[in-house]
Amino acid sequence: MLSGAFFVGAYSNTDLSRASNLFLNRFFATLSDDDKHDPKNAVASLNVTPGLQASLFAAEPMLKNPTNIDVDAKGRVWVCEAYNYRPAINGNPTNDAGDRIVILEDQNGDGAADVSKVFYQGPELQSPLGIWVQGNKVIVSDSPNVWVFTDEDGDDKADKKEILFTGLSGDQHDHGMHAFVFGPDGKWYFNFGNEGQQIKDKDGKAIFDRNTGKAIDKQSYRQGMVFRCNPDGSEMEVLGQNFRNNFEVAIDSYGTLWQSDNDDDGNKSVRINYVMEYGNYGYTDELTGAGWSANRTNLEKEIPHRHWHLNDPGVVPNLLQTGAGSPTGIIVYEGSLLPGTFQNQVIHCDAGPNVVRAYPVEKDGAGYKATIANLVEGVRDQWFRPSDVCVAPDGSLMIADWYDPGVGGHQAGDQNRGRIFRLAPPNSAWSVPKTDVTTGEGAITALQSPNMSIRYMGWTALHNLGTKAEKPLAKLYKSATNPRMKARALWLLSQLPKGQKYVEMALKDENADLRITALRTAREQKMDVIGYVKQLVNDPSAQVRRECAIALRRNPSPEAPALWAQLAAQHDGKDRWYLEALGIGADNQWDTYYAAYLKQLNNDPLANAGGRDVVWRARTAASVPMLARLAGEKDVPLASRLRYFRAFDFNPGKVEKSNALLQLIQEQNSPDVTKLALRHLDPAFVTSSASASRALQNLLDQTYGTAEYMELVQRYSPASENARLRQLAILKPNDNIGRDAAKQLLKQNGADMAWETINGSNADAATNMVTSLRRVGSNESLEMLKSVALDEKRAMPLRREAARSLGGSQDGEDLVIVLLKSGKLTSDLKAAAYQGVSTAWRKMIRTEAAKYLDSNQSGTSTASAKKLPGVNELLAMNGDASRGLTVYKTNCSVCHQVNGEGMDFGPKLSEIGSKLGKDGQYLAIIYPDAGISFGFEGYEVKFKDGSTMTGIISSKTETDLQMKFPGGLVQNYKTADVASMKKLDTSMMPSGLQEAMSTTELVDLVEYLSALKKK
């Protein structure tokens, strides 16, 4: 047998890893499901990158369902548990004692926890999502509150409990408040997802952004946000907004922020972001709040770009898009134990594809570009759901595993398991270096730790030393070879009485990151920022100039506009990061900054790509003439000018925009340009302008019968179009255009025209008019359909179509049941009425309606629900993926898409096999109410006309509401017409879907879905 030394020498780490993986694959294929889930096989279930090794630090029953972790200075792992995860939705049992904060400790030094302590448990803790240990205080994020627990006597039990912040999302929600982290400046950084909505102090009073003076709520800011504040909660700043579910934020030693963000499930748009301070990240329309799927000019061609409004001016680019997933914990690893590839890089958990990754970055102009390097993958056991990652005192990684067949989505398939893994190079024994911050030297050592808790202890000790810390900190800054350690020293030095000296020294450092750090410290310490920007305004580094632009944001100095103009003049038209930094810097001061820019150029700003970009990004009426020139350039293809038409939406010059757009219509004499201009003109202006009204009528004539025509009619509501709307309803009753036309006709008081058609001699036209009313759902339309269905003097085919069409809305479904119960629908009409509600998402409607069918009409529709085998039995069965495709097309494609095929209603399933194992998929199909994907919840919307519609809200603004319905139908409404909105507790996926399939078909379906994996 070959010796270990010879074997390692003969083969590379990669070869060994490949051989090991092959062996483990064969081994796992022999295990039962119970054995696969046994902690003894947890490490063997993972693929670990060459050069690293995983070990099991802790597993159930020591912990369960870990959502977030922290590692303290003693190497102990603190765990937030979420046993009580969304029980009202997923129906799981609960623990009335509440969720727990658990401490896991290795007391014998073998690298595995042997003690589990409960630090705190209480009924107010319901699925906490964030924990940070700072000395004897523990910060726990648990929407709607952020708690501070204090251990006053050192017995590892919470003695005091206080609220730090409150008012965050109405209840526990994984899109609410997330973890806090400690910044190198001594401030706290944290975030919440798009259900956070607002933040208040412990007394319930609104908190205001220190820079803008705006209340931090959903009226002032968009969606998910990132924050910075002092340790007492004061001087709160919104550092970024318009994220979806930014689960956690990470900060490096230079003060640069990194963050992941989740997409609307199934859209392959998960992203990693460099968080440029004060940036907008584009989940919804910046100004209106419209969802990403709403139509707009210059719509991005691919959904991953469209999802974040990346073509819109004012949206910061993404660092990287990773496809489908459920991103969770994130850090910046600034240790030296891991291989060089992972040092000084973002390390991140994505529970969806069962992976922990690094994203090695390179500077790219004023921003960055990145690649993906996997550290750990759960390839053999899809229950591996990494929820968080932290750095231990020795530089190894600790990874929390929520361990579940699914991942979030308000569902927990397993409540009692959970694991913590340690990741380190082979033969790196677990160790916890001694931390002593009672001396300056010890505090300096602690400041350089890769572990946040130790670094916090060192920073605090040095800060408390005041001027006595200057000498050791200055020595560290001078002697450190690692610029990140120099940056850590600089943050503290800047806060001393002589801090300005050190900042000015760093401004001249050859390292651009230290020049950036110096400018950031100067801003925080309210030093002479203008003077420092003067020094750096022509810096060779675009990243330094980026920071200069941001430093000028809302700066009242009379010198600020000219400095910004110098920075803007250096934009080459190729660096979107730089352009957005300029936009951030000009916030609230565009008039003066843009005027200074024109003066700085002293020539035509449209002469080069950089100037054209600045005009496109500008938010001042003064830029409108230039913007109009760009939009009207006839020698440039219209497709390349769409971005300028879209820019009109963001420009505040209302009168100037209207006049410029009208002039474009008159000068261009082009239907396409007219269409674009009218999309961006204010309807009130069009009504008041004879020229604009004529242009509108001409365009209506040219686009009649198209989606563009309907968009114009819905925007301007011209009663003169009623006759043509009636004709569309007759010609296209089964298309969205025909249905929209019927709805708009009634809205524009055209019911008489509809009745005229129904009562006319043309039977086909009458039937088509009735069909087109199916989805309208207003009281008026339902009364019309009911009247026709019950009118014995009318032809039976027309009555049957009216009875069927009654079931096209929620109120219509209820009316069908009333009519069936009353016996008003005759035998010939019962089957038609049932057909109209046979695909209703409410099972009770389908079941109740079926009761009234005659025996010869019932077929299989009224068959009693069959009993399915249990999930374990289903898992033991073998399916056929090719047959499963047929089952999918028959049962699922009406609401879901796979690779662009099918209806766009529910979450896309193109890579569902990468996210859910077979067990998770069975649970999702059999119990749809137990795991409703966020963003796909159903809403019952009642309108002022008395109608009710039930569907998914895909976009909502102050003026417009867009809803999606099963089958992919999209309907637009006016927000002013809405009386109330209520979120449903049940899924829009029809309950009992599996009852429409045989057991074999269900197994085949899951076999097909499991094969849909990321390639």
Side-chain angles (χ1 to χ4, degrees):
M1 181 178 291
L2 295 173
S3 70
F6 185 88
F7 185 82
V8 171
Y11 298 91
S12 70
N13 283 336
T14 301
D15 292 332
L16 289 174
S17 178
R18 186 178 297 114
S20 173
N21 290 338
L22 289 172
F23 168 77
L24 290 172
N25 290 341
R26 290 194 295 268
F27 168 68
F28 254 74
T30 68
L31 297 180
S32 67
D33 286 332
D34 287 342
D35 283 338
K36 287 178 181 178
H37 301 319
D38 194 304
K40 68 185 179 185
N41 293 317
V43 172
S45 73
L46 306 175
N47 270 5
V48 182
T49 191
L52 289 174
Q53 187 177 67
S55 60
L56 188 64
F57 183 81
E60 67 275 1
M62 299 183 79
L63 76 158
K64 59 188 71 173
N65 285 22
T67 60
N68 201 250
I69 61 173
D70 195 15
V71 184
D72 69 15
K74 299 177 183 178
R76 303 182 302 176
V77 179
W78 294 63
V79 182
C80 285
E81 292 185 338
Y83 183 87
N84 291 340
Y85 176 64
R86 309 289 283 175
I89 295 177
N90 63 44
N92 284 337
T94 59
N95 187 338
D96 292 339
D99 279 324
R100 308 188 304 174
I101 305 300
V102 173
I103 307 172
L104 304 173
E105 185 173 2
D106 171 20
Q107 293 187 339
N108 62 11
D110 66 351
D114 38 52
V115 172
S116 177
K117 306 174 184 178
V118 178
F119 174 75
Y120 184 82
Q121 182 174 23
E124 72 279 18
L125 284 190
Q126 298 290 325
S127 298
L129 292 180
I131 185 168
W132 172 33
V133 182
Q134 47 158 312
N136 69 335
K137 294 185 181 296
V138 181
I139 315 299
V140 175
S141 301
D142 183 39
S143 294
N145 301 310
V146 175
W147 299 95
V148 180
F149 295 98
T150 305
D151 176 8
E152 295 181 320
D153 55 13
D155 65 350
D156 293 333
K157 299 287 184 182
D159 301 303
K160 187 168 67 172
K161 176 184 67 176
E162 305 166 276
I163 288 180
L164 178 63
F165 299 121
T166 190
L168 300 136
S169 65
D171 56 4
Q172 60 154 298
H173 205 295
D174 23 12
H175 289 235
M177 179 64 81
H178 297 305
F180 285 65
V181 294
F182 178 69
D185 51 359
K187 296 203 171 197
W188 294 5
Y189 292 77
F190 59 101
N191 60 15
F192 63 50
N194 53 319
E195 275 294 301
Q197 300 187 8
Q198 63 183 354
I199 186 166
K200 298 180 179 180
D201 68 15
K202 62 182 180 180
D203 298 318
K205 297 178 181 177
I207 295 177
F208 297 84
D209 180 272
R210 80 165 192 174
N211 297 308
T212 65
K214 297 178 181 178
I216 300 176
D217 56 29
K218 62 181 180 180
Q219 282 72 44
S220 301
Y221 296 94
R222 296 280 179 211
Q223 307 293 326
M225 306 176 207
V226 188
F227 307 99
R228 172 169 61 207
C229 69
N230 292 329
D232 62 359
S234 63
E235 295 198 319
M236 185 82 73
E237 297 177 80
V238 176
L239 296 180
Q241 63 168 318
N242 216 355
F243 300 95
R244 184 177 181 267
N245 192 24
N246 40 324
F247 196 88
E248 206 171 60
V249 64
I251 185 168
D252 66 22
S253 294
Y254 304 122
T256 305
L257 300 171
W258 310 87
Q259 187 175 253
S260 67
D261 199 4
N262 195 4
D263 63 349
D264 287 340
D265 281 358
N267 287 287
K268 304 181 186 179
S269 306
V270 170
R271 60 178 175 173
I272 310 298
N273 289 310
Y274 147 57
V275 182
M276 190 184 294
E277 287 185 36
Y278 315 120
N280 159 50
Y281 283 79
Y283 175 47
T284 61
D285 185 291
E286 177 191 352
L287 297 184
T288 68
W292 61 269
S293 60
N295 192 25
R296 56 186 180 271
T297 300
N298 201 29
L299 191 69
E300 298 82 352
K301 292 181 179 179
E302 298 180 353
I303 285 179
H305 292 159
R306 190 182 307 165
H307 199 288
W308 307 116
H309 287 82
L310 290 178
N311 280 359
D312 281 358
V315 175
V316 178
N318 300 164
L319 169 66
L320 184 70
Q321 291 201 353
T322 60
S326 300
T328 47
I330 189 169
I331 60 167
V332 178
Y333 182 79
E334 294 185 331
S336 58
L337 182 65
L338 300 189
T341 301
F342 307 113
Q343 292 177 19
N344 301 322
Q345 302 298 345
V346 172
I347 295 178
H348 174 238
C349 299
D350 195 328
N354 326 98
V355 67
V356 180
R357 305 180 176 116
Y359 305 111
V361 299
E362 298 178 29
K363 293 178 180 178
D364 185 27
Y368 303 88
K369 58 184 178 181
T371 54
I372 296 175
N374 290 348
L375 285 87
V376 183
E377 296 177 87
V379 294
R380 299 175 194 90
D381 182 0
Q382 224 170 341
W383 285 32
F384 175 62
R385 303 294 181 183
S387 56
D388 198 15
V389 57
C390 287
V391 186
D394 64 355
S396 60
L397 294 182
M398 307 302 288
I399 298 168
D401 178 8
W402 196 51
Y403 203 73
D404 196 89
V407 50
H410 306 166
Q411 183 180 45
D414 180 280
Q415 290 179 279
N416 296 306
R417 292 182 174 96
R419 285 88 191 264
I420 305 292
F421 295 96
R422 177 177 183 256
L423 196 66
N427 303 316
S428 299
W430 171 256
S431 64
V432 180
K434 184 178 179 181
T435 300
D436 179 7
V437 296
T438 59
T439 67
E441 182 179 352
I444 288 290
T445 299
L447 182 66
Q448 298 176 76
S449 173
N451 171 263
M452 186 171 64
S453 291
I454 296 177
R455 194 158 65 244
Y456 166 80
M457 293 172 62
W459 191 97
T460 302
L462 290 163
H463 187 264
N464 290 341
L465 282 174
T467 56
K468 293 180 181 179
E470 181 177 355
K471 186 174 180 180
L473 284 168
K475 179 181 178 182
L476 175 61
Y477 183 86
K478 183 177 180 180
S479 62
T481 56
N482 183 341
R484 292 173 185 256
M485 300 306 110
K486 294 169 77 81
R488 293 184 191 179
L490 179 60
W491 285 106
L492 277 160
L493 285 167
S494 70
Q495 299 182 26
L496 296 175
K498 296 181 181 178
Q500 186 170 332
K501 177 182 75 171
Y502 295 101
V503 168
E504 292 177 354
M505 179 174 64
L507 286 169
K508 300 174 183 177
D509 198 290
E510 63 180 15
N511 185 304
D513 289 318
L514 289 172
R515 299 199 297 276
I516 289 171
T517 305
L519 188 55
R520 288 173 175 169
T521 63
R523 285 170 47 209
E524 286 202 15
Q525 298 306 313
K526 300 178 176 62
M527 295 180 186
D528 179 21
V529 170
I530 289 296
Y532 298 153
V533 171
K534 285 181 179 180
Q535 290 181 230
L536 301 173
V537 70
N538 293 308
D539 195 281
S541 166
Q543 301 216 331
V544 173
R545 299 197 308 275
R546 171 200 75 208
E547 290 300 311
C548 288
I550 294 171
L552 294 174
R553 179 178 184 256
R554 295 179 175 253
N555 192 303
S557 170
E559 297 182 85
L563 288 170
W564 184 90
Q566 289 183 60
L567 293 166
Q570 296 176 70
H571 175 52
D572 61 5
K574 301 176 182 178
D575 189 342
R576 179 69 181 272
W577 303 94
Y578 191 79
L579 179 64
E580 290 306 325
L582 291 171
I584 291 167
D587 177 50
N588 207 45
Q589 294 174 281
W590 268 106
D591 291 346
T592 56
Y593 281 27
Y594 184 76
Y597 173 67
L598 295 181
K599 183 178 180 181
Q600 169 76 24
L601 288 184
N602 199 27
N603 58 26
D604 185 357
L606 307 189
N608 58 68
R612 297 161 82 94
D613 261 4
V614 172
V615 169
W616 173 73
R617 180 62 178 84
R619 304 284 176 89
T620 172
S623 68
V624 168
M626 295 292 182
L627 192 60
R629 277 179 55 190
L630 290 169
E633 289 182 321
K634 292 185 177 180
D635 57 340
V636 176
L638 184 59
S640 298
R641 290 185 272 150
L642 294 179
R643 69 192 302 250
Y644 303 117
F645 282 96
R646 174 61 169 157
F648 278 110
D649 290 339
F650 298 90
N651 197 294
K654 188 173 182 179
V655 174
E656 292 83 356
K657 287 192 298 184
S658 295
N659 290 329
L661 287 166
L662 180 58
Q663 187 172 351
L664 276 174
I665 291 173
Q666 295 168 339
E667 291 178 352
Q668 297 279 308
N669 193 27
S670 159
D672 290 333
V673 170
T674 299
K675 182 186 349 176
L676 281 167
L678 286 169
R679 173 181 282 181
H680 300 280
L681 273 170
D682 177 42
F685 176 85
V686 173
T687 303
S688 64
S689 166
S691 297
S693 295
R694 283 195 298 273
L696 172 61
Q697 188 58 57
N698 289 337
L699 189 58
L700 289 169
D701 294 342
Q702 294 162 5
T703 61
Y704 177 68
T706 67
E708 287 82 5
Y709 170 82
M710 283 309 308
E711 182 181 333
L712 288 167
V713 173
Q714 289 166 346
R715 179 174 175 82
Y716 292 102
S717 297
S720 58
E721 291 299 306
N722 280 4
R724 294 206 290 191
L725 287 172
R726 174 175 63 174
Q727 189 65 17
L728 272 181
I730 295 170
L731 292 175
K732 300 184 178 183
N734 293 305
D735 295 345
N736 283 348
I737 289 176
R739 294 164 179 170
D740 286 346
K743 175 186 171 185
Q744 192 69 20
L745 177 65
L746 297 190
K747 185 177 179 180
Q748 296 181 182
N749 301 315
D752 288 347
M753 285 188 173
W755 273 120
E756 182 181 331
T757 302
I758 293 171
N759 295 331
S761 59
N762 187 326
D764 289 339
T767 300
N768 287 353
M769 178 58 73
V770 165
T771 302
S772 69
L773 293 172
R774 173 174 168 76
R775 290 284 183 182
V776 175
S778 65
N779 287 345
E780 186 176 30
S781 68
L782 293 178
E783 282 299 317
M784 292 173 73
L785 293 173
K786 175 185 171 182
S787 175
V788 173
L790 300 182
D791 187 350
E792 296 180 357
K793 295 180 181 180
R794 296 184 183 275
M796 184 55 68
L798 182 63
R799 295 179 66 195
R800 280 198 293 265
E801 181 58 26
R804 187 189 74 85
S805 295
L806 272 171
S809 62
Q810 179 167 319
D811 287 346
E813 293 168 1
D814 293 334
L815 181 56
V816 165
I817 300 301
V818 170
L819 293 175
L820 287 170
K821 284 183 177 180
S822 68
K824 292 183 178 180
L825 294 176
T826 63
S827 178
D828 288 340
L829 298 176
K830 288 179 182 178
Y834 173 76
Q835 182 186 10
V837 298
S838 61
T839 58
W841 70 272
R842 291 183 291 174
K843 184 179 180 181
M844 64 178 185
I845 294 291
R846 305 193 305 271
T847 303
E848 183 68 19
K851 293 178 182 178
Y852 297 93
L853 293 178
D854 298 333
S855 58
N856 63 337
Q857 296 173 326
S858 61
T860 60
S861 61
T862 58
S864 59
K866 59 183 179 294
K867 181 176 177 61
L868 276 174
V871 172
N872 287 337
E873 293 177 70
L874 291 168
L875 288 169
M877 299 178 185
N878 294 319
D880 184 304
S882 60
R883 293 198 307 259
L885 172 60
T886 302
V887 178
Y888 161 79
K889 289 181 177 179
T890 302
N891 295 276
C892 310
S893 62
V894 70
C895 289
H896 299 278
Q897 287 186 341
V898 170
N899 298 325
E901 296 185 6
M903 297 298 184
D904 184 12
F905 177 68
K908 295 179 176 65
L909 303 178
S910 304
E911 296 178 2
I912 190 64
S914 297
K915 182 173 182 178
L916 295 180
K918 289 184 178 180
D919 41 9
Q921 291 177 41
Y922 280 122
L923 290 171
I925 294 170
I926 298 171
Y927 306 110
D929 294 343
I932 306 170
S933 294
F934 188 79
F936 294 92
E937 301 95 335
Y939 280 82
E940 179 184 272
V941 181
K942 293 184 180 296
F943 294 90
K944 293 176 182 177
D945 64 2
S947 63
T948 302
M949 301 301 289
T950 302
I952 291 172
I953 294 176
S954 54
S955 178
K956 180 181 180 296
T957 72
E958 292 181 359
T959 57
D960 296 285
L961 176 72
Q962 184 182 83
M963 296 184 70
K964 291 198 300 186
F965 303 94
L969 177 66
V970 176
Q971 294 269 54
N972 297 307
Y973 305 91
K974 290 299 179 183
T975 307
D977 295 334
V978 175
S980 67
M981 296 171 55
K982 177 185 176 183
K983 185 160 66 173
L984 302 175
D985 294 330
T986 53
S987 171
M988 288 292 293
M989 178 176 169
S991 57
L993 174 65
Q994 75 280 1
E995 294 172 10
M997 305 177 234
S998 67
T999 298
T1000 299
E1001 288 173 329
L1002 177 60
V1003 173
D1004 289 342
L1005 173 63
V1006 171
E1007 191 71 34
Y1008 166 68
L1009 295 175
S1010 297
L1012 300 176
K1013 296 186 176 183
K1014 186 175 183 179
K1015 297 178 181 179

